[in-house]
Amino acid sequence: MLAIHLRAFGARTPVEDDAPFLARLYASTRQDLLGSGRADPALAASLIAMQQRLQAADYRVRFPDAVHLILQEAGAPVARIVVDQSRDALRLVDIALLPQARGRGTGSAVLRALQQFAAERHLPLTLSVHRGNPRARRLYLGLGFAIERADTHADALRWQAA
């Protein structure tokens, strides 16, 4: 049902052939693991792959019923989202866009579509944003999300339709 709601983004379920895209996408979000660029490339790649596997395992445990979707532009994958729907909320567990898809309005459009999906179900939309990602934080706040809880690493945000 969520994939149908996001059909304008070419939303589809990931398949085994998406593994290289998902690895490239994850690596593009983890510049922190590359250090100053002086790190051994093989070691950095190994560390990033390990972190990707740990993230996937964590999501399977914490959000076993979450929907994982690949978003496409012109038939090519450009993003991935993980969304969990419970009785009490729609949670954007994760959203990641390739660098070339960032800053072009894709993320905003996806978030607005998720807001509409949540509003139609009378659910709040929740997410967390890492403190080290001020650009995403500004985007979420600009779309009407409010800080529900903050700690030293991340802010828990909530959006509720009026």
Side-chain angles (χ1 to χ4, degrees), residues 76-132:
V78 296
R80 181 219 40 179
I81 62 171
V82 180
V83 181
D84 187 61
Q85 182 176 344
S86 70
R87 262 189 13 242
D88 302 323
L90 184 69
R91 176 162 186 79
L92 178 58
V93 176
D94 197 17
I95 181 170
L97 288 82
L98 286 175
Q100 62 266 29
R102 297 175 197 155
R104 296 186 353 222
T106 302
S108 297
V110 169
L111 287 161
R112 284 189 199 96
L114 290 173
Q115 287 173 320
Q116 181 182 358
F117 185 83
E120 289 169 1
R121 286 152 185 78
H122 307 288
L123 293 171
L125 176 59
T126 64
L127 57 85
S128 292
V129 62
H130 192 273
R131 286 285 177 107

Side-chain angles (χ1 to χ4, degrees), residues 56-90:
D58 178 55
Y59 289 171
R60 281 192 304 274
V61 169
R62 290 181 31 218
F63 307 101
D65 298 323
V67 174
H68 297 250
L69 296 171
I70 301 286
L71 306 180
Q72 304 177 116
E73 288 180 357
V78 296
R80 181 219 40 179
I81 62 171
V82 180
V83 181
D84 187 61
Q85 182 176 344
S86 70
R87 262 189 13 242
D88 302 323
L90 184 69

Side-chain angles (χ1 to χ4, degrees), residues 20-34 44 48-49 52 77-80 95-102 133:
F21 162 73
L22 291 169
R24 191 171 82 246
L25 177 67
Y26 184 80
S28 78
T29 68
R30 295 306 308 262
Q31 292 302 310
D32 60 314
L33 295 178
L34 296 176
I48 288 170
Q52 182 187 13
V78 296
R80 181 219 40 179
I95 181 170
L97 288 82
L98 286 175
Q100 62 266 29
R102 297 175 197 155
N133 194 347

